[in-house]
């Protein structure tokens, strides 16, 4: 084992974290240990570092641990509970609110970030334990926000330095579908950023404002919440908001300084929460035109991709979005309701998972996020021994007289009297060959056939073979497609109507053509766009999209399974463009950050 290398691999090799203090002292200076807060491993950006003073954490991460900070190398302040430590180059560390401490290591700068030793944090009263997961710290009971004001002399520290006064309190109440949003705005007299600490508790929260003076007051708000304001002996103040439930989001605004508390409560969970217009992420535009809702995504910040549930399984749209790390998603592609299996083309990462019906409009994406629309009819082509044959069908079931393929997922492929070859897509040789039924190997492509029907195909591992995906289309740059999903019908292309149900085999007298919910993926000013129509036929959907300025669009689904979802939103649960939706689905188009 080479101990001179950084242990960045510690997230996948937890045994390496059971290290002695002596071993840690000999590690490379770039050593990083994962930070674990309340049992949850945090982002690698928050890892500790091994510096000259020992293991250390960046000061900017400390509010997540419940430590209030003033991140100034000339006047560093750390406050936790009733304890405070201050640092200045002239006087070193000084303790406030508790007895003297042994000499502590000075802060160190790494790049643009100031770091403090875990020894300093333990002296402050923080509980920190080295475990197999990493450096574990209990979840904080309160979250500080804002920046601590400059230090006052320690001799007068018992008297708070008042920077603001609490003025008027405004409140409002509104409802979105069955979501009730109550907003409380606390006006603050003074200048600069106001510091506060939040402690969430059952039925409400407490907002501590140690540097803000306030007069005692109490008030019952419109939605039934109770607001209590009290002064503190040290000159600061405390605000209690008794909501009786729900989730409260708190943020500060400047010019003039104020603190906003938004409490969200659900009065009927049978309906989906709406998209919170004021919480839409940067680079996302939300627009409503009558019954048409549009979510557009800046292509320089987001790219689309196809995500799927396991074969024969279905999942909630929000689950598919969150599992893929996306910010938004819409369902797409038709499937058998009983089995949950897609019935048309699904491709991911340049590999076809479900075969194409070869008639419906298809949406595709390149690796860079370019959008493709058209009518490909993709098939796998297998070359071996100077001959090329076409795969007849994508299925795990062996078919007499046919060459079938399946993207390995553990399901059983093959049958008695059939040969199954396993190969790596893009590879040049057979990885494994077997007769009879056997589970498919994830990440590999299985080819199953009757040997007498396909004499040119090899029978043994190591034999040369190649497979390519022939998109068999010239209406877009399909060979560059990484992901694809067939649905249809195509509605708009190049700003012109492209609806042709006969070409795509749609029955216009059937339920699939009725006036109902409709979803589409399109382009609006070059931005990928999710569209949801509250009610209408495909013809009416086309007209609405064209009127809204979309240049290209393809319907993704209709009816009860149609849904468009955006992460975040009220109560951080996410929001839907459609009021009611609960049906699990097998496929979705998701927007992910670049």
């Amino acid at each position: 084992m080479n101990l001179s290398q950084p242990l960045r691999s510690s997230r996948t090799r937890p045994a390496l974290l059971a290290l002695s203090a002596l071993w840690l002292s000999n590690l490379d200076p770039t050593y990083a240990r994962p930070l674990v807060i309340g049992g949850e491993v945090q982002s690698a950006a928050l890892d500790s570092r091994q510096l000259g003073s020992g293991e250390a954490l960046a000061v900017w991460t400390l509010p997540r641990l419940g430590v209030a900070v003033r991140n100034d190398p000339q006047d560093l302040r750390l406050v936790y509970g009733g304890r405070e430590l201050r640092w200045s180059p002239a006087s070193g560390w000084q303790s406030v609110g508790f007895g003297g401490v042994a000499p502590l290591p000075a802060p160190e700068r790494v790049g643009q970030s100031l770091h403090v030793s875990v020894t300093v944090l333990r002296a402050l009263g923080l509980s920190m334990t080295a475990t197999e997961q990493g450096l574990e710290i209990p979840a904080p009971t309160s979250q500080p926000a804002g920046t601590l004001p400059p230090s006052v002399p320690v001799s007068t520290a018992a008297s708070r330095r008042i920077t603001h006064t609490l003025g008027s309190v405004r409140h409002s109440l509104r409802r979105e579908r069955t979501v009730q949003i109550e907003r409380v705005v606390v006006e603050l007299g003074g200048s600069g950023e106001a510091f506060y600490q939040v402690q969430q508790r059952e039925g409400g929260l407490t907002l501590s404002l140690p540097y803000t003076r306030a007069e005692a007051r109490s008030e019952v708000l419109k939605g039934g919440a109770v607001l209590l304001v009290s002064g503190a002996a040290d000159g600061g103040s405390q605000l209690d908001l008794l909501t009786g439930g729900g989730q409260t989001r708190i943020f500060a605004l400047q010019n003039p300084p104020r603190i906003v508390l938004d409490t969200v409560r659900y009065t009927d969970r049978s309906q989906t929460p709406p998209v919170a217009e004021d919480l839409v992420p940067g680079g996302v535009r939300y627009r409503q035109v009558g019954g048409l809702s549009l979510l557009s995504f800046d292509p320089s910040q987001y790219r689309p991709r196809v995500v799927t549930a396991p074969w024969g399984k279905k999942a909630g749209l929000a689950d598919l979005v969150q599992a893929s790390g996306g910010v938004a998603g819409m369902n797409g592609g038709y499937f058998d309701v009983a089995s949950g299996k897609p019935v048309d083309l699904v491709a991911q990462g340049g590999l076809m998972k479900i075969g194409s019906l070869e008639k419906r409009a298809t949406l595709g994406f390149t690796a860079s996020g370019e959008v493709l629309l058209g009518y490909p009819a993709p098939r796998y082509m297998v070359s071996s021994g100077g001959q090329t044959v076409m795969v007849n069908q994508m299925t795990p079931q062996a078919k007499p007289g046919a060459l079938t393929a399946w993207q390995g997922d553990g399901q059983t492929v093959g049958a008695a009297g059939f040969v199954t070859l396993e190969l790596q897509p893009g590879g040049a040789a057979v990885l494994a060959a077997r007769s009879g039924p056997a589970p498919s190997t994830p990440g590999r492509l299985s080819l199953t056939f009757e040997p007498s029907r396909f004499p040119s195909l090899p029978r043994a591992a190591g034999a040369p073979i190649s497979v390519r995906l022939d998109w068999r289309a010239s209406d877009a740059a399909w060979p560059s497609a990484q992901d694809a999903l067939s649905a249809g019908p195509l509605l708009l292309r190049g700003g012109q109507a492209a609806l042709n149900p006969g070409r795509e085999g749609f029955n216009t007298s059937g339920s699939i053509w009725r006036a109902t919910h409709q979803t589409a993926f399109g382009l609006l000013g070059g931005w990928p766009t999710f569209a949801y129509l509250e009610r209408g036929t495909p013809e009416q959907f086309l007209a609405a999209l064209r009127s809204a300025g979309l240049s290209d669009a393809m319907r993704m689904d209709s009816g009860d399974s149609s849904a468009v979802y955006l992460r975040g939103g009220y109560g951080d649960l996410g929001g839907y463009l459609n009021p009611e939706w609960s049906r699990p689905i097998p496929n979705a188009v998701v927007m992910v950050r670049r």
Side-chain angles (χ1 to χ4, degrees), residues 34-380:
L35 182 62
V36 185
I37 303 176
E40 294 188 6
V41 180
Q42 305 296 300
S43 163
L46 276 68
D47 286 355
S48 68
R49 297 182 68 91
Q50 191 72 13
L51 305 179
S53 59
E55 190 171 10
L57 292 173
V59 172
W60 63 266
T61 69
L62 301 184
R64 300 191 185 200
L65 315 184
V67 179
V69 305
R70 176 177 178 79
N71 195 354
D72 182 345
Q74 304 301 314
D75 181 20
L76 175 63
R77 296 185 62 191
L78 309 176
V79 176
Y80 183 74
R83 295 186 169 207
E84 178 178 353
L85 284 171
R86 299 178 182 173
W87 162 269
S88 70
S91 58
W93 286 107
Q94 292 181 293
S95 61
V96 181
F98 65 109
V101 294
L104 297 171
E108 295 184 58
R109 185 181 290 279
V110 178
Q112 299 300 312
S113 297
L114 195 64
H115 286 64
V116 292
S117 168
V118 297
T119 305
V120 172
L121 299 176
R122 287 193 174 103
L124 193 64
L126 215 62
S127 173
M128 312 179 80
T129 307
T131 70
E132 290 187 356
Q133 277 193 295
L135 186 62
E136 291 213 20
I137 299 168
T141 57
S142 63
Q143 290 283 348
T147 299
L148 290 169
S151 299
V152 296
V154 172
S155 59
T156 62
S159 176
R160 297 278 190 188
R161 175 172 175 165
I162 301 301
T163 59
H164 294 83
T165 57
L166 195 150
S168 63
V169 176
R170 296 183 284 110
H171 53 86
S172 61
L173 184 69
R174 77 180 195 275
R175 288 181 173 84
E176 299 282 349
R177 293 181 191 159
T178 56
V179 176
Q180 176 179 289
I181 306 101
E182 187 166 16
R183 168 164 287 187
V184 176
V185 181
V186 181
E187 304 281 0
L188 300 173
S191 61
E193 185 177 12
F195 175 80
Y196 62 89
Q197 289 180 292
V198 180
Q199 184 171 0
Q200 300 276 358
R201 52 194 177 88
E202 187 175 356
L205 58 87
T206 296
L207 200 67
S208 297
L209 299 145
Y211 306 100
T212 298
R213 181 182 291 112
E215 300 291 333
R217 72 178 79 171
S218 63
E219 187 175 357
V220 179
L221 306 179
K222 292 178 182 178
V226 177
L227 180 71
L228 303 173
V229 178
S230 58
D234 59 8
S237 58
Q238 177 176 304
L239 184 151
D240 291 283
L241 183 62
L242 310 179
T243 62
Q247 301 180 49
T248 301
R249 173 175 173 263
I250 304 146
F251 57 96
L253 298 174
Q254 300 298 319
N255 302 318
R258 55 207 186 276
I259 299 171
V260 181
L261 302 94
D262 282 341
T263 300
V264 176
R265 284 194 287 272
Y266 294 90
T267 59
D268 181 0
R269 289 185 174 269
S270 67
Q271 291 196 356
T272 61
V275 168
E277 295 186 45
D278 54 342
L279 300 178
V280 171
V284 181
R285 294 174 182 167
Y286 177 47
R287 177 184 171 196
Q288 285 185 291
V289 185
L292 178 67
S293 299
L294 303 170
L295 276 176
S296 299
F297 303 86
D298 183 347
S300 69
Q301 299 183 46
Y302 302 96
R303 65 178 181 86
R305 52 174 294 204
V306 173
V307 298
T308 67
W311 171 251
K313 304 289 186 181
K314 294 179 287 186
L317 179 58
D319 295 331
L320 290 174
V321 172
Q322 293 169 16
S324 63
V327 297
M330 69 184 309
N331 71 300
Y334 302 112
F335 60 95
D336 179 72
V337 175
S339 68
K341 297 176 181 178
V343 297
D344 210 340
L345 173 65
V346 178
Q348 287 179 295
L351 304 176
M352 186 164 58
K353 297 182 67 174
I354 309 298
S356 171
L357 296 178
E358 302 184 2
K359 60 182 178 181
R360 297 274 165 82
T362 298
L363 173 67
F365 309 120
T366 67
S368 64
E370 180 187 355
V371 176
L372 309 173
L373 286 170
Y375 298 94
R379 292 285 189 95
Y380 276 120

Side-chain angles (χ1 to χ4, degrees), residues 332-335 343-344 357-362 374-375 485-491 498-514 518-519 537-539 553-559:
Y334 302 112
F335 60 95
V343 297
D344 210 340
L357 296 178
E358 302 184 2
K359 60 182 178 181
R360 297 274 165 82
T362 298
Y375 298 94
L485 193 61
S486 290
L490 188 63
L491 300 173
L499 184 60
N500 187 341
R503 175 178 181 175
E504 299 187 33
F506 283 104
N507 178 6
T508 58
S509 62
S511 62
I512 201 169
W513 215 257
R514 73 189 189 279
Q518 306 274 353
T519 55
T537 64
E539 290 86 356
M554 186 184 89
R555 186 175 78 166
M556 300 301 293
D557 196 9
S558 65

Side-chain angles (χ1 to χ4, degrees), residues 6-31:
L7 295 183
R8 176 60 63 185
S9 61
S10 58
R11 292 175 193 278
T12 56
R13 299 167 66 187
L16 292 179
L17 292 172
L19 301 173
S20 68
L22 176 62
W23 191 11
L24 285 173
S25 66
N26 293 326
L27 288 173
D28 185 277
T30 60
Y31 164 78

Side-chain angles (χ1 to χ4, degrees), residues 345 361-365 372-376 469 471-485 493:
L345 173 65
T362 298
L363 173 67
F365 309 120
L372 309 173
L373 286 170
Y375 298 94
L469 186 57
W471 287 93
R472 301 195 303 165
S474 59
D475 51 16
W478 289 105
S480 62
Q482 289 293 298
D483 294 356
L485 193 61
R493 195 165 196 175

